[in-house]
Amino acid sequence: SVSSVSIATDACERMEPPLVQSRAPEAKGGKKTNPAADPRKMRRIIAEDPEWNLETVAPLVDACINHIVAEFHNYPRLEELDPRHRRQVLDRLPTTLPLRVTAPRVSDEGYWERCCRGRWELCDITDYGHSWKRMFFERNAQEAIENFVPEQSDTKQLEETLALSGPFVRRLVVRQLLPPPRDRPLSPQDDEEGERLSDESPLKPCNDHLDCGTILSRLHQLEELQLSYGVQNCGMNFEWSLFEFTLADCQLLSRAVQATPTLRVLRLPRSKVDNERGRLLISRLLDHPSLTTLDLSHNKLGDGAGRALGKLLNGHAPSLICLDASSNSIGETGGVSLGHALQGNSTLRELNLRMNRLGDEGAQPLLKALLRNSTLTSLNLASNDIGEPSAPALSEMLVANSSLTSINLACNKFGEAGGRLIQEGVEENSTLVTFDLRLTEISQESEYCINQIVKSNLDRQKS
């Protein structure tokens, strides 16, 4: 009713003080006082807004930094900022920005560390020159290449990724290269038929991989390249065609390597490189200006490739220091060619021919060549079916050679008589500090004496 509303209004007026006083009270001495000075006489009004709070407004600098971060993909600005503000922007930049934006502009290691740790669980920068940015681009390029499927993946996207990575990639390790997809999965009958087809058969499907020229032509700073033509973790989908290094692959790789003068290390292990492809590849490496390490281990190289390697070492590898051709099928002829080349070679420091088929006829030319060679420091001829007939040449070489510091002849068959000849040679040698003669059928007495002499050489060099 009207009377009840009037009574409530009068009660409120009596309980609440007036919002505005008609006259400010005067303090002693005639000075006026501010009503706000006494909180008991002021009425606080809080708006009924759920988003209203008592926090202060953020500084304008923070608002500008947040805006720069939010619009960085459209308007990247770093150099124009004050160093303190640039640091704040870098700390807030998201790691999902496109590489075309961040690659040429962001050099801060802290940002690239966040990118690496957000993408990979294990991050060790010791293999990447202790650089987070280099690690990110090398691993990013590696994944892009390993997951590329010819005739199916976007080639332009791969080319863009490699072009952006070019200034930062020094070392590239590719553990798999995928072949083109098949129109339909192979049945057991198809698989058996494929094994019977020769390499030249027109019925055999094309298994050419990614053109290595696409990779090397865009990585202008590349110094080390490791490729494996095969597929990892194929499981029950295993086919021999997944591990095929085709002739076209070899031609493309050879031309690409020849056109990359900055390349210092080339590794091509476990790629089924045979004589024909090996000769073609090595012919393109002749007189390469900067190649220091060549690794062709765990392939199918034979005497033909051995002769090609001999030609490479015979004055056509001005910078080659390390050659690894272990776990192949190089025999006597290849050993003779390599021995002839070593006589005049003055650059090679390490030669690994472990697990080949040299035999005595292939090993003896190598050992005789070391009578004149004074630069080789490490030789590995383990598991080469070398026997007692080679012991005299080995003993003579140990007496005359003063550059070798490490020799591995394990898993050969020298016998007790050969062991005594080797011991006589080691007794006249003062530079050998590592000599592996395990499982060579020499006597325990000869093996003990040889080990003691080698140990004394090592102690002498340490002191």
Side-chain angles (χ1 to χ4, degrees):
S1 62
V2 178
S3 58
S4 61
V5 174
S6 303
I7 295 173
T9 303
D10 294 340
C12 292
E13 290 177 355
R14 288 194 300 271
M15 292 174 63
E16 297 183 1
L19 297 178
V20 180
Q21 296 183 1
S22 59
R23 182 180 180 184
E26 294 184 1
K28 294 180 179 181
K31 295 182 180 181
K32 295 183 179 180
T33 60
N34 184 7
D38 188 356
R40 296 173 298 176
K41 296 182 180 180
M42 286 299 298
R43 182 181 180 187
R44 298 178 64 191
I45 302 176
I46 300 178
E48 295 182 359
D49 186 354
E51 298 180 358
W52 188 89
N53 56 64
L54 296 175
E55 295 181 2
T56 58
V57 178
L60 182 59
V61 173
D62 289 350
C64 293
I65 290 176
N66 291 334
H67 181 74
I68 292 174
V69 171
E71 296 295 326
F72 194 84
H73 61 286
N74 293 324
Y75 305 99
R77 294 290 185 271
L78 279 179
E79 298 300 327
E80 297 90 338
L81 299 177
D82 181 83
R84 179 168 57 89
H85 299 153
R86 188 186 308 130
R87 177 75 268 163
Q88 296 179 15
V89 171
L90 290 170
D91 290 341
R92 300 182 192 182
L93 281 181
T95 59
T96 55
L97 287 172
L99 290 181
R100 58 179 174 79
V101 176
T102 56
R105 297 176 178 87
V106 180
S107 58
D108 179 66
E109 286 289 288
Y111 172 80
W112 295 109
E113 180 180 0
R114 289 195 291 120
C115 292
C116 290
R117 295 193 182 279
R119 183 165 175 180
W120 300 291
E121 183 176 356
L122 299 177
C123 297
D124 185 4
I125 61 174
T126 55
D127 293 333
Y128 303 91
H130 296 275
S131 170
W132 288 102
K133 186 172 185 179
R134 176 183 162 185
M135 174 183 176
F136 179 87
F137 280 98
E138 288 187 4
R139 294 186 68 172
N140 181 67
Q142 173 188 347
E143 290 186 357
I145 295 171
E146 290 180 346
N147 296 323
F148 182 86
V149 181
E151 303 177 6
Q152 179 174 311
S153 300
D154 188 354
T155 305
K156 291 185 178 180
Q157 182 178 358
L158 176 64
E159 292 175 352
E160 181 182 0
T161 300
L162 295 176
L164 291 171
S165 306
F168 316 106
V169 174
R170 302 291 187 274
R171 173 175 174 266
L172 184 62
V173 179
V174 180
R175 295 183 174 87
Q176 75 169 9
L177 285 171
L178 299 177
R182 295 184 181 276
D183 296 335
R184 61 182 178 85
L186 281 180
S187 64
Q189 294 79 10
D190 292 333
D191 195 25
E192 294 175 2
E193 181 66 20
E195 292 180 359
R196 291 195 297 266
L197 294 174
S198 63
D199 290 343
E200 294 80 12
S201 174
L203 300 177
K204 189 172 182 179
C206 176
N207 290 316
D208 297 341
H209 298 81
L210 172 66
D211 181 4
C212 287
T214 303
I215 303 174
L216 300 186
S217 63
R218 289 165 176 79
L219 302 180
H220 306 293
Q221 305 297 325
L222 187 66
E223 298 178 358
E224 180 175 348
L225 175 64
Q226 177 176 329
L227 294 175
S228 291
Y229 284 81
V231 179
Q232 290 187 324
N233 305 321
C234 57
M236 297 300 294
N237 297 320
F238 171 82
E239 299 174 12
W240 281 116
S241 59
L242 299 177
F243 301 86
E244 184 178 0
F245 182 52
T246 67
L247 187 59
D249 291 334
C250 185
Q251 292 172 344
L252 294 173
L253 174 62
S254 302
R255 285 197 291 263
V257 170
Q258 186 182 33
T260 309
T262 60
L263 194 65
R264 296 188 303 106
V265 179
L266 175 61
R267 304 185 189 277
L268 196 63
R270 297 179 293 278
S271 296
K272 298 178 67 175
V273 183
D274 58 12
N275 264 333
E276 180 184 6
R277 291 158 179 77
R279 290 197 303 268
L280 175 60
L281 176 62
I282 295 169
S283 67
R284 296 281 186 168
L285 296 177
L286 297 178
D287 301 316
H288 193 284
S290 57
L291 189 68
T292 61
T293 301
L294 177 60
D295 182 359
L296 297 174
S297 60
H298 302 279
N299 284 297
K300 302 169 65 176
L301 302 179
D303 284 332
R307 291 194 297 270
L309 288 173
K311 182 179 180 180
L312 179 69
L313 294 178
N314 195 11
H316 294 283
S319 303
L320 191 64
I321 296 176
C322 177
L323 174 60
D324 187 352
S326 61
S327 190
N328 280 284
S329 300
I330 300 176
E332 299 175 2
T333 306
V336 172
S337 299
L338 289 170
H340 177 72
L342 279 180
Q343 293 183 16
N345 185 279
S346 60
T347 60
L348 196 67
R349 301 289 186 272
E350 300 178 19
L351 177 60
N352 189 349
L353 295 174
R354 177 178 59 90
M355 295 180 66
N356 275 280
R357 302 175 182 177
L358 294 176
D360 292 310
E361 298 298 326
Q364 290 180 27
L366 285 169
L367 297 174
K368 293 178 180 179
L370 294 177
L371 295 172
R372 304 173 62 179
N373 183 287
S374 60
T375 56
L376 195 71
T377 60
S378 176
L379 176 65
N380 192 334
L381 296 178
S383 301
N384 267 283
D385 196 23
I386 306 173
E388 185 176 338
S390 299
L394 176 58
S395 178
E396 184 181 0
M397 183 272 293
L398 289 171
V399 173
N401 187 281
S402 60
S403 62
L404 277 173
T405 60
S406 175
I407 300 178
N408 189 338
L409 293 172
C411 300
N412 289 296
K413 298 179 180 180
F414 292 107
E416 293 186 2
R420 288 192 292 270
L421 290 173
I422 295 173
Q423 179 183 343
E424 294 175 2
V426 173
E427 289 173 352
E428 302 296 327
N429 188 291
S430 60
T431 59
L432 199 63
V433 296
T434 302
F435 199 1
D436 192 345
L437 285 169
R438 293 172 297 170
L439 303 176
T440 54
E441 300 182 1
I442 66 175
S443 65
Q444 293 184 358
E445 180 182 356
S446 296
E447 186 175 3
Y448 175 79
C449 293
I450 291 171
N451 289 335
Q452 290 300 113
I453 297 171
V454 171
K455 183 177 182 300
S456 64
N457 290 343
L458 179 60
D459 294 339
R460 189 184 309 111
Q461 289 190 10
K462 287 183 177 179
S463 60

